[in-house]
Amino acid sequence: MKKKHMDYFLFISVILISIFGIIMIYSASSIWAEFKYQDAFKYVKQQGLFFIIGILAMLFASKIDLEFLRKKANLILGICFILLVLVLIPGIGTVRNGSRSWFGIGGLGVQPSEFAKLGLIIFASKYLARNQKDMGDIKKGALPIFLVIGIFFVLIMLEPDFGTAMVMALTLIALIFASGLKISFFAKLGVLGLVGIVALIIAAPYRMARIVSFLNPWSDPLGSGYQIIQSLYAIGPGGLLGQGFLNSRQKHFYLPEPQTDFIFSIISEEFGFLGVLIVCGFFFFIFYRMLRIALRSNDLFSKYLAFGLASLLFIQAALNLAVVVGLIPVTGVTLPFFSYGGSSLLISMISVGLVLNVSRRT
Amino acid sequence: MVKNMFFSTIHERIRFIFIVSVIILIAIIIKVFYIQVFAYDKLSSLAESLWSRELPIKADRGEIVDRNGEVLATNITTVSLVVVPGQIDDAEAVARDLSDILGTDYQDMLKHVTKSTSIERVHPEGRGLDYDIAEKIDALGYDGVYLLKESKRYYPYGTVLSHVLGYVGIDNQGLSGIELYYDEYLTGADGAIKYFSDGKGNKLELTEVYEAPTSGITLELTIDIDLQLAIENELDNAVSKYNPEQAMILAMDPDTGEILAMASRPTFDSNNYQDYTTEIINRNLPIWMTYEPGSTFKIITLSAALEEQTINLFEDTFTDTGSINVDGSTIHCWKVGGHGTQTMLEVVENSCNPGFVKIGQTLGVETLMSYIDAYGFGDKTGIDLNGESTGILFDIDKMGPVELATTSFGQGISVTPIQQVRAVSAAINGGKLYTPYIVGAFLESETDSLIEKIEPEMTREVISEETSSLVRYALESVVANGSGKNAYIENYRVGGKTGTAQKVENGSYLDGNYILSFMGFLPADDPEFVVYVAIDNPKGVTQYGGVVSAPIARNVMLSAIDILDIEPRSDGMAKEYTWLDKKYSILPNVVGMSREEATKTLKNFKIEYSGDGDTVIYMSPNAGYYVAEGETIMLMLG
């Protein structure tokens, strides 16, 4: 394998988007942080720390031996599995925002589900690369990996963390889709999913109300419609050019925890449609560069790994944006590089690092 | 390369996913574009209403001034307490301090301070605060406690003109009179301090918009406050002298319909309207009261007959035997034994009822009623006040000779004072019927510059100028020679007509219970001023309009001469003297005469000299005035 430089376009855009993210965390969180901790910089300091660790982690990930990673894939997945089981045990895992998904370490927290996403992608890439020939055969090729995914899905749903479970499932489905599995299988999977949703609605009609309230948030403005209405009140008045940096009104205790899932609302409010185009442009460009690396890779494992990680970032971003603008119901997915959260940023940057690693050895 | 055989499939799938992803991204961008461009207005206004809080600033109510700009209704500034519960940290401390300062109940105040509303007005204990109390509250410096300036209506003249002005409620809304009729004009547009608040109700420093309130329009009345004070004074005197059930005076400019003064007794104080019954407040007698007009109505009958030329004032005669038989009913003259043979002018002077029955008969039902209609009886006059009555006339289809006869001298029908003043004004001003009005102009509140002047509105011409001058002549002679003597003013030409109407209750006349009235005007050759006085059931006096109401009208006209600067006339009718009256004679001109000559010429008068010459160079009063004999004449010698 030839030694090459890593993809600097990808590297630089990730650094830029992360810096923009940190600036927006300051703008979005300062009011809330001042109120809660009497320290407007509380969140931005923590996120800044993770950003620096993230850069180191990204560089480290871009240099490690991918062959080593491939070999240890089973071990990594095993560790992730154990952690996911442990976190469900009260006393070990702590509850935040209604999910028992955290290991509290001092003031910081680690979410094993974040690492599980990574572990599962590495494992799946290895599995697909090894069983490429059998992927035509559903029983032999697809079922075992779906079983593994299913187990992780259930574990994360037990926390419960629907958003992360969805991101993980969709990413793995995209990965298996890329492996060349018959389209008809995915069609059946889609039909099955639809039947499942209908069955869930029939079983518990309140879910219908959820869907209705997503379609018209004003039907329950103080309950299930609250977040999306507050998000629309931020995005709408932003207009084409926005209210200006730091001038968001919705961050003044209207939009709850504006530095997390709904930070994109604040970006839209302060920078308007222009800001939206810039953010979407960044995600498009990063996704495009990552897919380019995947396409150029000669090694099947590396190709799957790069594509899987690209899909992970993009699906998570797209799900978050779709929620924030009201295209799909609220799922609780963070926006990579923007939403406040140490482990989320760390995982995103490690993911990019691994893709950069692939870009070196085409 | 074994693996390469899979690459094409994988690459195809990756590109497919890339395209799907781009479509999803575009869908998101389109949705954002929709939200930020197409839904922009709707979401912005919804969000604005979520963020914005408003502290209202009440607009000043427009002032009401008289025709010369004297202020009749104005505003005084008071301070009101307003709390914003969301901004208050320690509700209990705030409630304790506020209730201490205001001297009110702590629990009540706590309710205000903790009420789940964005802005709470502390009502009523926090309204209309004194300055020093406001100062104390201000000194507390609590967040969420605001003092708002509020204006309170104030009527500097108290009970004067109160029925016309009306009054306002606690929120400055007009509840009666001009205040109600012109409420929209007076109200103005409220302003506000608008600010954005955060989700917890705290004020965001960056945003505060002050929207200035727009004061209401100033109304300039046709009322002259000096004249108004004069009639109020006359009414007060009449009340203390006669203790009547009710009394009213109404004065109008006959050439325009401008109301110059109007007042009722009993009256009320607009500043403290709560202390009076609604009957007193609502009964603006000049427009509300309906009653048999009595003899003042004869002016209408007279003018109709003169216009139709069914009588000749000077040549036709009528012999009054004291009563007249109409279709089997006997109608008596007020003078027992009758007035004997009179010219028609004397019929008017004597206010002879049988004579007017005769005049009515010359007209017939149709013609008389057409004039009564044309003069506006039976309809509201359209004056710009609420609470006007229409009065009741006989149904023309059911009028027989008796109804015709009684209508001719003003019985059996009911009218309002304003209808009579309006009709008589038309009869003496050359025949033009005007709509009475009381707001003369709309003024801009800050600069007092004219927005709109109300022009007199002529409804129709009822009689000709010639007829009108005959009416004036007849009515002048009523004052000079007839029943209206008590209204005579030396050197001025006064016309008028007395009225004595027996009151009706439940369809029958009340014994000894009259409304005594007088309709007077001057100068009789070109009237500038009409006044109508009605006293309802005065006690301890001859029940006759010429005795009670004529002197009051005379006093009002004397004031009007002064206030409206009405020029004296020297060509008026001399008063016919009875043994009761002083003798008046025309003052001869002595200017230029020697002292001796002058003394001889003025032998019936007292003379006071000044100066030290021998020739009279100036005399006061001037030559040509009627002066009572024995009065003092000032002569200046030089």
Side-chain angles (χ1 to χ4, degrees):
Chain A
M1 267 180 218
K2 291 180 285 177
K3 279 273 175 183
K4 265 183 62 178
H5 288 300
M6 67 174 180
D7 183 343
Y8 285 113
F9 284 107
L10 179 59
F11 178 76
I12 288 166
S13 33
V14 165
I15 297 295
L16 287 178
I17 201 175
S18 302
I19 290 171
F20 186 28
I22 287 167
I23 291 169
M24 285 318 296
I25 281 175
Y26 170 69
S27 176
S29 72
S30 57
I31 304 293
W32 183 248
E34 176 70 42
F35 173 73
K36 212 169 165 185
Y37 301 107
Q38 289 76 48
D39 178 7
F41 293 90
K42 167 86 179 169
Y43 291 106
V44 77
K45 280 191 286 197
Q46 282 200 18
Q47 191 76 356
L49 184 67
F50 271 99
F51 175 58
I52 291 161
I53 296 170
I55 293 174
L56 297 176
M58 180 165 69
L59 291 173
F60 176 72
S62 74
K63 293 214 163 113
I64 57 161
D65 184 2
L66 285 177
E67 193 53 30
F68 172 78
L69 207 61
R70 195 177 69 87
K71 280 182 183 151
K72 299 290 174 200
N74 293 359
L75 179 66
I76 293 168
L77 192 67
I79 293 168
C80 287
F81 177 78
I82 291 165
L83 289 176
L84 278 179
V85 172
L86 281 179
V87 83
L88 289 175
I89 299 165
I92 300 174
T94 50
V95 178
R96 281 196 205 171
N97 297 328
S99 339
R100 191 174 294 282
S101 61
W102 294 81
F103 287 122
I105 303 168
L108 307 173
V110 169
Q111 276 181 297
S113 53
E114 290 287 339
F115 293 95
K117 288 189 289 195
L118 218 54
L120 210 49
I121 288 169
I122 296 167
F123 175 79
S125 300
K126 179 185 173 183
Y127 179 87
L128 293 175
R130 185 190 286 165
N131 301 296
Q132 186 65 53
K133 280 181 288 219
D134 299 328
M135 288 314 288
D137 185 340
I138 289 174
K139 269 189 194 158
K140 227 171 149 191
L143 271 190
I145 184 72
F146 271 108
L147 204 68
V148 174
I149 296 165
I151 289 166
F152 277 79
F153 186 81
V154 168
L155 279 176
I156 296 172
M157 282 300 275
L158 283 175
E159 292 179 353
D161 186 349
F162 181 71
T164 306
M166 278 306 288
V167 169
M168 191 198 74
L170 286 173
T171 307
L172 270 303
I173 287 169
L175 196 55
I176 293 166
F177 175 81
S179 76
L181 201 61
K182 276 185 277 182
I183 301 273
S184 61
F185 174 79
F186 292 98
K188 282 176 200 156
L189 203 65
V191 170
L192 201 71
L194 227 70
V195 169
I197 289 169
V198 171
L200 283 172
I201 290 172
I202 292 168
Y206 78 90
R207 294 203 172 95
M208 195 65 202
R210 276 278 176 82
I211 291 170
V212 168
S213 94
F214 143 69
L215 292 172
N216 177 19
W218 277 272
S219 66
D220 185 12
L222 294 176
S224 50
Y226 182 76
Q227 280 184 309
I228 189 67
I229 287 174
Q230 297 305 323
S231 175
L232 292 176
Y233 282 173
I235 300 171
L240 286 175
L241 296 174
Q243 310 271 23
F245 180 55
L246 297 178
N247 289 341
S248 160
R249 295 224 176 81
Q250 285 295 88
K251 69 185 178 191
H252 291 274
F253 308 113
Y254 289 108
L255 199 56
E257 305 251 4
Q259 71 277 13
T260 59
D261 294 2
F262 282 86
I263 193 165
F264 186 68
S265 311
I266 305 297
I267 298 172
S268 309
E269 189 181 11
E270 297 194 347
F271 295 103
F273 188 62
L274 190 69
V276 169
L277 285 182
I278 289 170
V279 171
C280 289
F282 263 116
F283 278 111
F284 170 80
F285 185 72
I286 289 169
F287 187 47
Y288 166 75
R289 291 306 291 194
M290 285 175 146
L291 291 186
R292 191 168 170 271
I293 291 164
L295 290 173
R296 291 189 170 197
S297 169
N298 287 325
D299 171 55
L300 204 50
F301 170 71
S302 304
K303 195 182 282 288
Y304 279 127
L305 186 64
F307 175 70
L309 295 170
S311 300
L312 174 67
L313 285 178
F314 186 83
I315 287 169
Q316 194 171 336
L319 268 181
N320 176 275
L321 298 189
V323 165
V324 168
V325 304
L327 280 173
I328 59 170
V330 176
T331 45
V333 176
T334 58
L335 185 60
F337 307 114
F338 285 95
S339 292
Y340 171 75
S343 33
S344 171
L345 182 64
L346 212 55
I347 292 301
S348 297
M349 295 189 85
I350 289 171
S351 302
V352 174
L354 290 173
V355 177
L356 287 172
N357 195 333
V358 174
S359 76
R360 287 170 183 279
R361 45 188 93 210
T362 307
Chain B
M1 291 286 276
V2 177
K3 282 169 186 168
N4 270 348
M5 59 185 279
F6 302 110
F7 278 15
S8 64
T9 315
I10 295 172
H11 289 182
E12 206 175 279
R13 292 276 170 104
I14 288 176
R15 289 196 183 96
F16 176 76
I17 283 182
F18 179 66
I19 289 165
V20 171
S21 305
V22 170
I23 291 170
I24 290 170
L25 207 55
I26 288 171
I28 288 166
I29 290 171
I30 288 173
K31 179 71 196 274
V32 172
F33 188 76
Y34 170 79
I35 295 170
Q36 294 191 317
V37 177
F38 293 102
Y40 176 83
D41 288 338
K42 185 186 156 216
L43 286 171
S44 291
S45 76
L46 281 170
E48 191 107 333
S49 65
L50 174 73
W51 301 329
S52 65
R53 300 284 188 278
E54 260 189 50
L55 294 174
I57 307 169
K58 283 278 176 196
D60 269 349
R61 196 171 170 80
E63 291 194 325
I64 303 176
V65 301
D66 90 334
R67 62 188 302 126
N68 299 314
E70 177 70 16
V71 174
L72 307 178
T74 184
N75 308 295
I76 48 176
T77 303
T78 62
V79 178
S80 285
L81 177 62
V82 166
V83 291
V84 178
Q87 298 177 2
I88 292 172
D89 292 329
D90 186 350
E92 284 172 11
V94 170
R96 198 179 330 103
D97 286 350
L98 288 179
S99 58
D100 280 354
I101 291 172
L102 294 174
T104 57
D105 186 57
Y106 166 74
Q107 290 300 334
D108 283 351
M109 188 57 73
L110 193 62
K111 269 181 213 153
H112 285 301
V113 168
T114 55
K115 199 165 176 181
S116 76
T117 177
S118 58
I119 293 172
E120 167 75 352
R121 188 182 279 277
V122 182
H123 176 88
E125 59 268 36
R127 303 287 294 267
L129 300 178
D130 288 336
Y131 185 72
D132 54 328
I133 287 184
E135 189 116 287
K136 275 186 206 161
I137 292 174
D138 199 36
L140 293 174
Y142 281 124
D143 282 342
V145 174
Y146 293 87
L147 292 163
L148 288 189
K149 281 218 280 185
E150 263 191 342
S151 66
K152 182 170 174 256
R153 204 58 159 164
Y154 175 64
Y155 305 90
Y157 286 94
T159 60
V160 172
L161 200 67
S162 52
H163 280 106
V164 170
L165 295 175
Y167 63 97
V168 298
I170 183 93
D171 291 315
N172 265 350
Q173 75 279 29
L175 294 180
S176 84
I178 296 278
E179 297 277 24
L180 173 62
Y181 196 91
Y182 287 99
D183 197 34
E184 254 177 65
Y185 292 79
L186 292 165
T187 299
D190 288 349
I193 296 170
K194 286 185 174 171
Y195 63 88
F196 286 129
S197 98
D198 67 16
K200 297 182 185 298
N202 297 310
K203 186 158 113 184
L204 293 180
E205 294 301 329
L206 51 148
T207 52
E208 189 172 291
V209 178
Y210 177 82
E211 277 179 8
T214 312
S215 302
I217 286 169
T218 298
L219 298 181
E220 186 185 276
L221 304 187
T222 57
I223 298 286
D224 185 309
I225 189 62
D226 292 327
L227 208 53
Q228 181 72 27
L229 288 170
I231 70 163
E232 301 271 3
N233 186 37
E234 288 304 322
L235 284 174
D236 287 342
N237 289 342
V239 167
S240 59
K241 206 163 159 188
Y242 302 120
N243 188 27
E245 285 173 32
Q246 310 174 92
M248 61 122 287
I249 298 178
L250 173 59
M252 193 172 99
D253 180 340
D255 290 328
T256 58
E258 288 168 272
I259 303 295
L260 298 171
M262 77 196 283
S264 308
R265 289 293 177 276
T267 187
F268 69 101
D269 180 353
S270 296
N271 293 312
N272 301 304
Y273 66 91
Q274 306 92 327
D275 302 345
Y276 299 85
T277 64
T278 48
E279 279 80 17
I280 290 177
I281 291 172
N282 291 339
R283 289 178 183 175
N284 186 7
L285 300 179
I287 63 168
W288 178 83
M289 190 181 187
T290 62
Y291 54 94
E292 283 195 352
S295 303
T296 50
F297 197 75
K298 289 170 181 165
I299 300 169
I300 306 306
T301 310
L302 171 70
S303 72
L306 291 174
E307 176 77 5
E308 294 292 317
Q309 298 180 342
T310 61
I311 60 162
N312 183 308
L313 207 50
F314 306 102
E315 288 164 19
D316 290 350
T317 58
F318 174 77
T319 303
D320 173 29
T321 58
S323 66
I324 187 167
N325 188 306
V326 179
D327 203 23
S329 305
T330 304
I331 292 168
H332 292 278
C333 187
W334 60 271
K335 186 174 178 184
V336 180
H339 292 97
T341 300
Q342 319 153 78
T343 63
M344 283 300 172
L345 182 61
E346 285 167 328
V347 166
V348 178
E349 285 175 6
N350 296 331
S351 196
C352 172
N353 286 353
F356 271 90
V357 171
K358 176 72 187 156
I359 295 172
Q361 284 167 350
T362 68
L363 285 164
V365 169
E366 298 278 326
T367 312
L368 179 60
M369 288 310 286
S370 74
Y371 277 90
I372 289 171
D373 277 351
Y375 274 119
F377 291 102
D379 287 322
K380 291 184 179 180
T381 64
I383 188 172
D384 41 349
L385 283 172
N386 292 312
E388 189 180 2
S389 305
T390 51
I392 304 165
L393 303 178
F394 284 119
D395 183 346
I396 191 160
D397 298 325
K398 292 174 186 158
M399 275 179 77
V402 178
E403 286 78 16
L404 171 64
T406 60
T407 301
S408 300
F409 58 87
Q411 281 185 19
I413 59 170
S414 92
V415 301
T416 62
I418 186 97
Q419 283 174 339
Q420 292 189 73
V421 168
R422 179 194 192 200
V424 168
S425 293
I428 60 170
N429 72 5
K432 298 180 181 67
L433 188 74
Y434 286 97
T435 302
Y437 63 102
I438 199 145
V439 168
F442 300 112
L443 307 179
E444 212 276 310
S445 61
E446 303 294 321
T447 58
D448 275 349
S449 59
L450 190 67
I451 297 171
E452 190 192 344
K453 183 167 173 55
I454 306 303
E455 295 301 328
E457 189 189 318
M458 191 185 78
T459 312
R460 65 183 77 89
E461 288 196 54
V462 185
I463 56 170
S464 67
E465 170 56 45
E466 290 72 35
T467 307
S468 182
S469 74
L470 279 175
V471 174
R472 290 197 295 268
Y473 179 84
L475 295 179
E476 189 179 4
S477 83
V478 168
V479 172
N481 310 318
S483 52
K485 272 186 207 122
N486 286 336
Y488 189 83
I489 300 172
E490 293 73 41
N491 300 317
Y492 284 87
R493 297 182 61 174
V494 175
K497 185 74 197 78
T498 57
T500 306
Q502 209 166 352
K503 279 163 68 184
V504 179
E505 202 176 88
N506 303 325
S508 60
Y509 287 101
L510 295 174
D511 219 22
N513 193 340
Y514 298 91
I515 291 175
L516 306 182
S517 61
F518 186 83
M519 179 78 70
F521 61 91
L522 87 166
D525 55 332
D526 180 17
E528 295 173 32
F529 183 76
V530 179
V531 60
Y532 181 68
V533 178
I535 311 289
D536 179 359
N537 194 16
K539 313 294 185 323
V541 66
T542 313
Q543 297 288 300
Y544 182 58
V547 176
V548 174
S549 295
I552 296 174
R554 181 178 187 273
N555 288 342
V556 173
M557 286 190 280
L558 280 172
S559 303
I561 285 167
D562 216 33
I563 294 161
L564 304 180
D565 229 355
I566 296 171
E567 291 292 311
R569 297 287 198 275
S570 52
D571 53 353
M573 290 182 196
K575 193 177 179 183
E576 187 186 273
Y577 298 98
T578 65
W579 60 271
L580 278 169
D581 297 313
K582 291 177 187 166
K583 182 142 176 59
Y584 287 80
S585 48
I586 291 177
L587 198 58
N589 189 9
V590 296
V591 173
M593 291 184 185
S594 67
R595 178 175 176 150
E596 205 174 321
E597 275 177 299
T599 311
K600 210 189 282 171
T601 312
L602 300 175
K603 63 178 189 304
N604 291 328
F605 303 93
K606 273 188 222 156
I607 300 175
E608 244 182 64
Y609 296 101
S610 62
D612 46 6
D614 195 43
T615 311
V616 178
I617 55 168
Y618 176 77
M619 64 187 288
S620 174
N622 284 326
Y625 282 8
Y626 282 95
V627 179
E629 289 180 4
E631 290 284 309
T632 306
I633 310 296
M634 306 273 294
L635 296 180
M636 191 185 249
L637 302 172

